[in-house]
Amino acid sequence: MKYVILIHSNPQPWGHPTSDYVAEHQALPAEQRERLNAEFERLLTEMSANGELITGEALADPSTSTLYRWSGGEPLATDGPYSETKEHLAGFFLIDVSGPERAQEVALAFSGPGETVELRPAMWPGGEEH
């Protein structure tokens, strides 16, 4: 089953890996930060090797985004960020795992201090087009 893991964060300054720029993560003892980073890298390596990790991508600063909306019956392009929220979409991973339990396990491992991780099934889990 395919799932998207969305990483919501607000690093200051904007940078990747986002955890390096999030106050809650920076406040952890260095040993704990190193352990969390090593566990994350181990999981990515494992998932890549076993075919569960399809792709992942870090996203640029929300201020570089352009929004396309309709206004007055016409498309209108505006500068980002797209919202006034404190968290923005920082990146995503597309995974293909055996089921919801494994997807939840991975999403939990991807979560970190000061960030929100959203797990969402792909619309067509088998990848077939409709």
Side-chain angles (χ1 to χ4, degrees):
M1 298 182 71
K2 290 185 180 171
Y3 289 84
V4 176
I5 297 174
L6 302 170
I7 310 297
H8 299 271
S9 188
N10 190 23
Q12 297 297 321
W14 194 266
H16 291 280
T18 54
S19 59
D20 287 351
Y21 302 92
V22 174
E24 292 87 345
H25 184 80
Q26 292 171 340
L28 297 174
E31 182 179 287
Q32 187 176 3
R33 288 193 315 266
E34 290 170 14
R35 181 182 53 78
L36 290 171
N37 290 339
E39 288 173 3
F40 181 73
E41 289 301 322
R42 180 200 53 75
L43 180 59
L44 285 180
T45 299
E46 172 190 308
M47 292 180 68
S48 183
N50 70 20
E52 290 180 317
L53 179 62
I54 297 172
T55 192
E57 192 69 45
L59 299 176
D61 189 320
S63 67
T64 64
S65 66
T66 302
L67 295 177
Y68 298 91
R69 294 189 171 129
W70 281 76
S71 178
E74 297 289 327
L76 174 67
T78 60
D79 293 338
Y82 64 91
S83 67
E84 298 299 320
T85 64
K86 293 182 181 181
E87 292 181 335
H88 299 281
L89 185 59
F92 70 92
F93 294 89
L94 179 61
I95 62 174
D96 190 357
V97 295
S98 58
E101 295 81 14
R102 175 63 175 155
Q104 291 166 2
E105 177 184 319
V106 171
L108 181 62
F110 278 29
S111 66
E115 298 181 313
T116 300
V117 172
E118 178 181 349
L119 177 64
R120 190 181 303 182
M123 186 70 170
W124 295 285
E128 63 273 5
E129 294 184 26
H130 293 272

